[in-house]
Amino acid sequence: MPKVKTNSGAKKRFALTGSGKIKRKHAYKSHILTKKTKKQKRNLRHFTVLSSADNKNVRSLLALR
């Protein structure tokens, strides 16, 4: 049986934490930053944990169990 390939776009966008959760970056931080407040941009810098609704989908893209 052939190996399952990892989705190349997904492996660039998501990372695993030590406990096995999936980290992701925040949206709305790529352009049109002049009208966003400093506080908003500062809070978008940090990573967050993927929601449980998207977990199954992303795990299949990353070829995880």
Side-chain angles (χ1 to χ4, degrees):
M1 199 160 142
K3 292 182 179 179
V4 179
K5 286 194 176 181
T6 301
N7 182 290
S8 294
K11 76 181 168 192
K12 294 169 193 169
R13 286 173 173 82
F14 302 104
L16 282 176
T17 63
S19 60
K21 294 176 184 173
I22 301 173
K23 289 192 302 187
R24 68 167 178 87
K25 281 188 177 179
H26 284 281
Y28 308 111
K29 183 69 172 66
S30 57
H31 60 94
I32 315 175
L33 299 173
T34 50
K35 59 175 77 170
K36 293 175 183 135
T37 62
K38 286 181 190 177
K39 182 179 180 180
Q40 189 179 1
K41 290 184 280 192
R42 183 171 61 244
N43 289 335
L44 290 173
R45 273 185 220 150
H46 309 290
F47 281 86
T48 185
V49 177
L50 197 69
S51 74
S52 57
D54 299 322
N55 217 338
K56 184 181 174 187
N57 237 346
V58 174
R59 281 189 173 278
S60 69
L61 291 174
L62 295 174
L64 300 171
R65 284 184 267 130

